[in-house]
Each structure stands twice: as C-alpha cells, then as structure tokens.
Amino acid sequence: MKNFQQEISETSGWLSKIGADPSGGMTRLLYTPEWVEAQQALKQAFETAGLATSFDAVGNLSGRLQGSKYPDQVILSGSHIDTVVNGGNLDGQFGIEAAYLAIKHLKETYGAPLRTLEVISLAEEEGSRFPYVFWGSKNIIGSARPEEVKSICDAKGVNFVDAMHSAGFDFRPQDQPLRKDIAAFVELHIEQGKVLETEGKTIGVVTSIVGQRRYDIKLKGEANHAGTTPMGYRKDTVYAFSRICCESIAKAKAEGDPLVLTFGKVEPKPNTVNVVPGFTHFTLDCRHTDKATLLRFTQEIEADIQRICAEMGIEVEIDLWMDETPIPMDKQLLACVSHLCESHKLNYRMIHSGAGHDSQIFAPHVPTVMMFVPSIAGISHNPAEKTELPDLAEGVKILAHTLYQLAYTEQGARL
C-alpha cells in the first residue's frame, strides 16, 4: 500500500483554500459561493481521476468508478463538505479527500472493481447556516421533508429555499425513486476527541454513535431586591439551577463512562448584580451508547429537577426537543475492518463516537461502518483542529483496504 502523505497534503492544500478565513480557520456554509466553489473543484478533481460525476437534486456530489460485475451494488464512501463557522479543515472534508484518494489509488492499481465504488461529497451535515442538520444524507435515504426547511432562514434572514435555488439546486422530485443501489457506506473521520491520541492509537474502529437527549429547561421563581429580601423568602432560580447542576453532574460521574452530561447554556434574568434572579433558562445535553441507560438516566434527572423545584417553590418547564437513539455500526463490517487492521498490523482500538455523523443517518438503512484518526488534543470545530500527516495517511490506508475488500473481492464482506 502506497504512502498517501504527499497526496493528502496536496489535496488538502487546494481544497482548504476555498472558504479559508485570512485570520485562520474556514467557513464554508451550505449553498454559499464558497460551498459551490468547493463542490465544483471536487467535481473537476474526480473527473481528472477518471470518475464519472453527478450532482443529485439538492447538491450531493458523486464520483463513480463503475463495477465490472455488480455495477448496481455501490460501495459508498465520503463525508460532508460544509463546515462550522470558523472551523478547521479536517472535519468532514478529510473524509471526502480520503475516499477520493483511496478510490483513485485502487483504480490505478487494480483497475475496475467488481462492485461500483462511489465517493460522495455530502451537501450538509453541520446545521451551521440553517437550523437543520444532515440535509445531504437525509435526502439520500429519504427522511428529509421540504416542509421542514421551507420557512427557515439563516442569521441574515436568507430563506433556505432561496439559497438553494441561487446555488442551482432544488428539492428532490417527490416521484423520484430513492436509491436502492447502496450496498455499504464507509466513513472516515477525525475523532474530535482525545482518546486515540491519549492511548497512542492510530485508528479507531467505531462500534456505535451515541444517542442524544437534549432539553430546554425554564425555571420561574420571583425577581426581588437583593438587599431587602431575606434568604429564606427567596425564589432564586440561579440557586435552583446550581442545585440541579451539582446533583446531576455528581450522578453522571457516578454512572460512569460512556455517559456524558452537559449544561451548555445558562441565561439568568434579569442578570444584574442587585436583583434576585427570578427566571433562568438552561440547556441539558445527555449522551450514551445504550438506549435503555440513556432513557433511565435522563428520566431520573427530570424527576430530580421536579423535586428540587417543588422544594423551592419554583415553577419549571422541561422541553425535550431532541431524542436521538444510539446507532450501532454493522457487525459484519466491524468484523471486516478490525480483521483488516490486524492483518495489516495497524495500531487500532474499538471506540464509540460521542458526536453525531452522517453514518448515523445511513446505518438504519444500509450496512455502515466508520473509522477515526486521532485529533491532536481532541480539538475540533476550531481553526486549531489538526491531525498529524502520518496518521491521516494511515486512515486513508485502512479505508483503501476496506474499499478493496468490499468492492474487489467476490465475498465483499458478505454484502
């Protein structure tokens, strides 16, 4: 297997210039001129490598290497081209680069595969411009609905549909059949955490993507004078929040890994030095790889919140606005990738993903597997996002081995 370091450096070099911020970082949001330029640049690169290219209705870009024996069985690999605002140049983008370089290498080395290989540059995953996530992959599997985006706008007031049309794309026709040709989806991604780096591992084979439950919670007490209201008479929502936070975090630590719990946003009102805060809005994010554990734990937290508020005479509103189930990766593909790691003596470990990825959209519908490469200091969604070049090359290497097994062998991991 070749050393991919130079090709990764060259490919990332020209692609990372599109949407680059002069002060550092990258911003490439769905349907912006930078997004269009990146997709067109990738289209040209795919075609130069001898791949047949096409856009679907919403802007997902494909580069295909036709299979010689089973052309209607597609091994799909890639990730998303959009970024967060002022993000790094690896999240999403590297998965596309890796799939492109791996397929290019396989074509040059072995010729046509038995099954069709396809690199996909998904239109959107992050939700950074519009309040909607996984627009690209949801359109492929058919869970995206026009009514979900017709009325949403970005921070500048630009309507989603208007932005889509200005970029040259439209909704998927309702009478267009969904794709039935995808035999497997394989995604390579940076970890966005520090487990692999801390443990000195080069490859993470992802067993599952965590489920998430997210809440908006509002506490209603009584705003009052900070000097004249005795402590025993107060309905202080910040104090109530502090009790909720401390008890919940202690309970999460006692529960142990892989459960994580985060209070990411806290807004007290009136938020001034001399008034007892009579209102506090906060968010809660809880994640776990096991659905039953996630449900049990969050229900306990909800009960604790109700109890604390009742004790303090404070009204509470709890809005569970996200309830995503954990998504396991395909067992046969996991066995295939781990075997390939061992046979090629790659330094790997099994790992779960604490972040969401396009793989979680594909996995309930087609056999799916995901791999990680290390993130330095676990930093992501940040201009400082970085992975050592040799580690990126090892990621492309295991991806190429996997795609070869799936597309060039008769058994194809028994797809």
Side-chain angles (χ1 to χ4, degrees):
M1 184 66 67
K2 71 190 291 185
N3 189 321
F4 290 100
Q5 293 187 41
Q6 182 177 345
E7 287 187 281
I8 293 169
S9 183
E10 291 173 354
T11 305
S12 180
W14 58 259
L15 187 53
S16 296
K17 291 178 181 177
I18 305 172
D21 190 312
S23 62
M26 178 184 296
T27 302
R28 196 161 55 212
L29 307 182
L30 177 65
Y31 297 141
T32 59
E34 295 81 10
W35 179 93
V36 172
E37 183 181 353
Q39 289 288 65
Q40 290 296 335
L42 282 169
K43 181 176 183 291
Q44 183 176 346
F46 295 169
E47 290 174 350
T48 300
L51 306 181
T53 62
S54 62
F55 283 101
D56 69 6
V58 302
N60 292 312
L61 169 66
S62 294
R64 291 167 62 98
L65 180 61
Q66 187 83 348
S68 61
K69 189 171 183 180
Y70 310 108
D72 294 332
Q73 295 179 21
V74 176
I75 309 302
L76 186 66
S77 183
S79 195
H80 58 95
I81 194 61
D82 67 314
T83 72
V84 297
V85 175
N86 200 224
N89 69 344
L90 293 173
D91 181 6
Q93 176 176 300
F94 173 62
I96 301 166
E97 294 172 9
Y100 155 64
L101 293 176
I103 292 173
K104 178 172 174 284
H105 162 73
L106 293 172
K107 174 179 178 291
E108 293 169 351
T109 307
Y110 304 104
L114 299 178
R115 297 174 184 82
T116 297
L117 278 169
E118 180 178 332
V119 52
I120 184 88
S121 178
L122 292 161
E124 191 275 341
E125 185 250 28
E126 297 285 5
S128 297
R129 184 179 183 187
F130 300 98
Y132 190 96
V133 294
F134 301 115
W135 177 244
S137 51
K138 283 181 176 178
N139 268 279
I140 292 175
I141 60 92
S143 64
R145 300 285 181 267
E147 60 270 19
E148 296 174 320
V149 298
K150 283 184 175 179
S151 63
I152 63 176
C153 297
D154 66 10
K156 296 180 179 179
V158 178
N159 176 263
F160 184 101
V161 179
D162 292 339
M164 180 170 60
H165 288 166
S166 69
F169 298 100
D170 207 338
F171 292 113
R172 184 179 65 84
Q174 293 299 301
D175 59 352
Q176 183 182 85
L178 292 174
R179 292 187 61 170
K180 301 295 185 182
D181 61 343
I182 303 173
F185 178 65
V186 185
E187 184 175 10
L188 180 64
H189 207 281
I190 58 170
E191 182 191 352
Q192 301 178 283
K194 58 176 68 175
V195 174
L196 295 178
E197 182 188 47
T198 301
E199 297 189 5
K201 300 295 184 182
T202 304
I203 301 294
V205 181
V206 179
T207 57
S208 63
I209 298 174
V210 295
Q212 302 183 42
R213 302 193 100 202
R214 294 185 186 180
Y215 296 82
D216 273 321
I217 300 171
K218 297 175 181 178
L219 306 180
K220 298 179 181 180
E222 183 178 78
N224 219 325
H225 197 290
T228 62
T229 309
M231 298 302 289
Y233 296 169
R234 299 183 179 205
K235 294 183 179 180
D236 183 339
T237 57
V238 165
Y239 176 41
F241 166 75
S242 70
R243 286 186 59 189
I244 292 166
C245 182
C246 289
E247 286 193 22
S248 300
I249 294 294
K251 182 169 286 189
K253 288 183 176 181
E255 183 73 28
D257 294 337
L259 185 134
V260 290
L261 181 70
T262 305
F263 294 91
K265 177 180 178 181
V266 185
E267 294 180 330
K269 293 181 180 180
N271 199 24
T272 189
V273 67
N274 59 349
V275 179
V276 176
F279 179 88
T280 296
H281 167 220
F282 66 93
T283 62
L284 187 153
D285 177 313
C286 189
R287 309 184 188 199
H288 199 284
T289 55
D290 179 71
K291 182 177 181 178
T293 302
L294 179 64
L295 181 62
R296 171 188 58 76
F297 184 85
T298 51
Q299 287 176 341
E300 289 178 7
I301 295 298
E302 290 180 42
D304 291 341
I305 292 172
Q306 296 282 6
R307 171 181 53 79
I308 290 168
C309 289
E311 291 172 358
M312 298 181 64
I314 287 174
E315 298 178 31
V316 59
E317 294 180 9
I318 301 176
D319 177 21
L320 173 64
W321 62 271
M322 177 188 282
D323 189 5
E324 297 285 348
T325 191
I327 302 294
M329 297 295 98
D330 183 80
K331 290 183 179 179
Q332 283 191 343
L333 291 182
L334 283 173
C336 172
V337 175
S338 58
H339 173 73
L340 289 170
C341 285
E342 291 172 5
S343 62
H344 292 285
K345 296 180 170 54
L346 298 179
N347 184 19
Y348 83 104
R349 64 156 283 173
M350 310 305 283
I351 191 172
H352 74 270
S353 174
H357 297 285
D358 286 299
S359 286
Q360 74 190 64
I361 305 301
F362 283 103
H365 305 273
V366 299
T368 298
V369 71
M370 187 172 194
M371 293 92 82
F372 285 158
V373 291
S375 295
I376 294 176
I379 295 172
S380 184
H381 286 187
N382 184 313
E385 176 181 275
K386 188 176 181 182
T387 297
E388 297 290 357
L389 193 54
D391 290 339
L392 294 176
E394 288 295 282
V396 179
K397 191 179 296 184
I398 186 58
L399 179 62
H401 286 310
T402 302
L403 297 182
Y404 177 86
Q405 179 68 31
L406 299 181
Y408 284 85
T409 66
E410 276 291 342
Q411 64 270 30
R414 299 194 179 125
L415 291 171

